[in-house]
């Protein structure tokens, strides 16, 4: 691994030979054409075969042969009484004979031979995989289940504060939905979230049409009352409706448990849940009877003095319903463990000081498992095959970079789409051993005509003197070694983040390229507390968010100050969300270093952040008053020196506007001049065309006060 890393990390992009003199403008920073082109869209295997389908120029190809054009599809669309589609996309290849797609918000199935469309269902549906006539969808706070023409409504639109079939727990623990169909489509499980006891947080929506409107939403702040979640099951064959008995009693402690990683048994008789206490330091993996709702068994438990955070549901072996895979960080890294359904741990499947980042699937016989891991390149992601008997782990994607793959159902072929620091985008078809069968596309450098900055990946030691931290260093094109340049530290630094990656532009973007072209050095460091480096690396910040992160970031600053072309007197820091918190933290603590700061959507006081995220990393305010006080920025406003621009979306429902408003007030009380800007009608990020305005606002600030 060392040999590979040394080669990758020492790499400085040599664009000089092909670079031209064109410069980016701020108006181009969201131009799709300046990001790597993926000329083939919707690349996928056809049904259970190894045949590859893709869309190019609004034409669907299978193995290079035209199967369907947009014009031909629109003939069927019009015949169905629908408006023509503007482009071909969002297709699922069930076979070479049938294609499923969305048509004006409806799910339809196209018959290739008949050249006709059949309506599958209205609206954006959650479809039962094992059934062709059962669907479910959310309508405001209710859940509607369609069962072969029969509609089952769960909930009442007038029941305020109660939500059915939607994501819960603020989308933590890997939760991204609230509907769980059983494998054969006979049963459906779904979340019921009671938020009626959670305080309404005021949100004001303005317009130029008249009086502003109040639009309050439920926002459970750290230490306050949390919402309460249950899981319900409907058997569509018998019409029975049950609740899972996930609570030992009716205490608040039991009602506030997190119900996560929901999974069905292959026979639909059981449902599994990872149940976590509100303190998030104890997890019970439980099996429930899907007929009665009663707890069958606690299969195993996991505890940690800091926190436990399961984010992946169990995966049953394809040919053995009595065994399943489970992700755990119990040995310090995210690895896979094999269990039987009695809760016996049979063996650890993967081992080592790296992380398995996800399961891709199995081969047809279930003999081999395909996974993502950063085993050979901690800044990248590769696909591996793991033999379930020998546990031999074989790398399939040999090229360095960050890979996304699909494995055909028969296990004979792999679709590999990836980029790296020096590969914009490449799509290849591999055989089962990882050998390249053919290249579908190899995108050219979209910035070849532009003056390109230098981009380097490297490592420095953390503040503990022993841990490697990865950095990205972007330097101006045609940099003059004797000249000193203003330098911007771009920071995030929070959990579940990795900004420095072996991918195109090293995980950076056109904004950083633009800044470099304008004469700025741009530096990013993934400090301890970020992702994909093991549990100790990420969790060492527990109960003191901002402290270790800043210590590591300042090691990055020391490294920058050692570079002859970095102007020590013209250094700035910028970040958004957790990065906004870090920006202000660093600016206030080190005014002698940072002349300018720019913080977007910053957390100011962790007491005002949501329960699920905040209490995992900081515990409750009642339990950790010192940690909350040490990392609250209100009392530190008095230390502000130099220029600080704070930006916030006026309708932010993630880091509520209260944070930066109160920081502004603290600056006023302390007699400190802070620069403040907000974006009307935007939530936690500034999106759409207004994002160009955001880039211009920040750049103008640096030109005025840093450069």
């Amino acid at each position: 691994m060392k040999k590979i890393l040394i080669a990758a990390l020492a790499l400085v992009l040599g664009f000089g030979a092909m670079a031209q003199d064109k410069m980016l403008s701020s108006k181009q920073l969201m131009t799709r054409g300046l990001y790597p082109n993926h000329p083939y869209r919707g690349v996928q295997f056809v049904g259970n075969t190894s045949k590859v389908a893709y869309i190019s120029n609004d034409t669907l190809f299978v193995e290079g042969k035209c199967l369907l054009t947009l014009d031909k599809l629109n003939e069927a669309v019009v015949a169905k009484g629908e408006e023509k589609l503007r482009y071909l996309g969002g297709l699922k290849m069930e076979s070479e004979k049938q294609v499923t797609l969305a048509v004006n918000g409806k799910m339809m199935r196209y018959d290739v031979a008949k050249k006709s469309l059949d309506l599958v269902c209205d609206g954006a549906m959650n479809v039962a995989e094992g059934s062709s006539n059962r669907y479910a969808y959310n309508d405001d706070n209710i859940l509607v289940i369609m069962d072969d023409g029969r509609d089952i409504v769960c909930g009442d639109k007038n029941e305020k504060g109660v939500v059915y079939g939607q994501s819960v727990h603020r989308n933590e623990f890997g939760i991204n939905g609230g509907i769980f169909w059983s494998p054969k489509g006979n049963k459906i499980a779904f979340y019921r979230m009671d938020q009626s006891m959670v305080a309404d947080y005021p949100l004001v929506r303005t317009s130029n049409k008249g009086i502003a409107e109040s639009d309050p939403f439920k926002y459970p702040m750290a230490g306050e009352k949390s919402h309460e979640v249950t899981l319900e099951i409907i058997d569509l064959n018998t019409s029975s409706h049950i609740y899972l008995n996930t609570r030992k009693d009716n205490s608040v402690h039991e009602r506030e448990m997190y119900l996560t990683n929901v999974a069905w048994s292959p026979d639909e008789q059981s449902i599994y849940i990872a149940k976590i206490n509100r303190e998030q330091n104890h997890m019970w993996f439980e099996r429930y009877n899907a007929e009665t709702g009663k707890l069958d068994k606690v299969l195993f438990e996991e505890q940690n003095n800091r926190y436990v955070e399961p984010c992946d549901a169990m995966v049953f072996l394809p040919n053995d319903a009595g065994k399943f895979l489970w992700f755990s960080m119990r040995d310090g890294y995210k690895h896979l463990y094999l269990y039987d359904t009695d809760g016996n741990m049979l063996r650890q499947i993967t081992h080592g000081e790296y992380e398995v980042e996800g399961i891709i699937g199995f081969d047809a016989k279930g003999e081999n498992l395909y996974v993502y891991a950063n085993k050979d390149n901690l800044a990248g992601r590769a696909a591996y095959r793991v033999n379930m008997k020998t546990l031999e782990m074989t790398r399939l994607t040999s090229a360095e970079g960050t890979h996304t793959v699909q494995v055909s159902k028969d296990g004979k072929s792999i679709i590999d789409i990836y980029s790296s620091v020096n590969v914009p985008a490449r799509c290849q078809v591999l055989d089962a051993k990882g050998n390249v069968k053919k290249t579908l596309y190899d995108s050219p450098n979209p910035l070849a005509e532009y003056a390109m900055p230098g981009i380097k990946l490297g490592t420095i030691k953390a503040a503990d003197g022993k841990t490697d931290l990865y950095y990205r260093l972007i330097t101006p094109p045609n940099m003059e070694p004797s000249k000193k340049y203003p330098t911007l530290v771009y920071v995030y630094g929070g959990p579940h983040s990795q900004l420095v990656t072996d991918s195109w532009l090293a995980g950076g973007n056109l904004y950083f390229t633009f800044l470099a072209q304008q004469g700025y050095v741009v530096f990013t460091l993934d400090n301890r507390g970020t992702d994909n480096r093991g549990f100790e690396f990420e969790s060492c910040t527990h109960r003191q968010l901002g402290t270790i992160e800043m210590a590591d970031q300042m090691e990055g600053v020391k490294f920058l100050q050692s570079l002859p072309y970095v102007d020590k007197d013209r250094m700035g820091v910028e970040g958004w969300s957790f990065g906004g918190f870090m920006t202000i933290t660093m600016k206030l603590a080190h005014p002698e270093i940072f002349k300018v700061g720019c913080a977007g959507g910053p957390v100011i006081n962790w007491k005002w952040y949501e329960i699920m995220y905040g209490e995992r990393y900081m515990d409750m305010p009642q339990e950790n008053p010192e940690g909350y006080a040490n990392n609250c920025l209100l009392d530190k406003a008095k230390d502000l020196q130099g220029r600080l621009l704070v930006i916030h979306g006026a309708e932010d429902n993630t880091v509520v506007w209260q944070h930066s408003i109160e920081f502004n007030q603290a600056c006023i009380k302390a007699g400190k001049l802070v620069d403040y800007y907000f974006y009307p009608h935007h939530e936690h990020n500034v999106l759409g065309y207004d994002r160009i305005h955001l880039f211009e606002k920040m750049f103008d600030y640096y030109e005025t006060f840093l450069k």
Side-chain angles (χ1 to χ4, degrees), residues 288-474:
Y288 289 84
N289 186 303
E291 298 291 333
T292 65
K294 292 181 179 180
L295 174 66
D296 276 343
K297 188 173 185 178
V298 179
L299 273 67
F300 57 85
E301 302 177 34
E302 289 192 13
Q303 298 183 62
N304 191 286
N305 291 333
R306 291 174 178 170
Y307 53 82
V308 291
E309 188 190 5
C311 291
D312 303 272
M314 67 194 303
V315 175
F316 281 92
L317 301 192
N319 298 323
D320 190 343
K323 296 176 184 177
F324 64 90
L325 294 173
W326 179 255
F327 274 108
S328 175
M329 299 189 79
R330 67 186 62 165
D331 77 344
Y333 292 86
K334 186 178 180 181
H335 283 298
L336 283 164
Y337 296 79
L338 181 65
Y339 276 87
D340 65 24
T341 49
D342 287 326
N344 299 306
M345 201 275 278
L346 304 178
R347 64 199 307 196
Q348 184 173 347
I349 300 298
T350 56
H351 306 256
E353 295 184 0
Y354 63 91
E355 299 226 334
V356 176
E357 298 180 33
I359 293 176
I360 302 166
F362 291 89
D363 63 10
K365 295 181 180 179
E367 295 174 348
N368 294 294
L369 168 71
Y370 300 93
V371 300
Y372 291 118
N374 60 0
K375 183 175 184 289
D376 299 304
N377 181 359
L378 295 177
R381 183 181 71 189
Y384 295 80
R385 181 180 62 243
V386 182
N387 184 283
M388 292 298 291
K389 288 184 178 180
T390 67
L391 303 188
E392 180 184 3
M393 192 168 183
T394 304
R395 182 170 173 175
L396 297 176
T397 51
S398 58
E400 292 299 315
T402 300
H403 294 256
T404 299
V405 308
Q406 301 174 47
V407 179
S408 63
K409 294 289 181 64
D410 59 16
K412 295 180 180 179
S413 296
I414 299 166
I415 295 171
D416 177 25
I417 302 175
Y418 75 97
S419 76
S420 68
V421 175
N422 54 357
V423 174
R426 185 174 291 158
C427 179
Q428 297 176 319
V429 180
L430 315 178
D431 65 19
K433 295 182 179 180
N435 300 312
V436 178
K437 294 167 65 176
K438 59 182 174 182
T439 298
L440 292 181
Y441 62 79
D442 197 348
S443 297
N445 175 14
L447 299 171
E449 297 181 358
Y450 290 80
M452 283 300 296
I455 302 177
K456 179 182 178 181
L457 291 179
T459 62
I460 63 169
K461 293 298 181 183
D464 64 3
K466 57 184 180 181
T467 306
D468 284 337
L469 304 176
Y470 287 77
Y471 70 78
R472 176 180 63 233
L473 181 65
I474 304 177

Side-chain angles (χ1 to χ4, degrees), residues 520-534:
Y520 292 85
V521 172
V522 185
F523 177 81
T524 298
L525 178 76
D526 281 334
N527 51 250
R528 284 174 294 164
T530 57
D531 205 7
N532 297 323
R533 296 289 306 280

Side-chain angles (χ1 to χ4, degrees), residues 117-155:
L117 275 171
D118 292 319
L119 178 68
V120 176
C121 59
D122 289 319
M125 303 291 182
N126 187 295
V127 183
E129 291 188 9
S131 172
S132 61
N133 57 356
R134 286 174 171 168
Y135 318 95
Y137 67 94
N138 300 110
D139 182 7
D140 195 15
N141 63 323
I142 68 172
L143 173 67
V144 181
I145 304 164
M146 301 172 62
D147 178 20
D148 198 18
R150 174 183 61 150
D151 287 359
I152 302 171
V153 178
C154 301

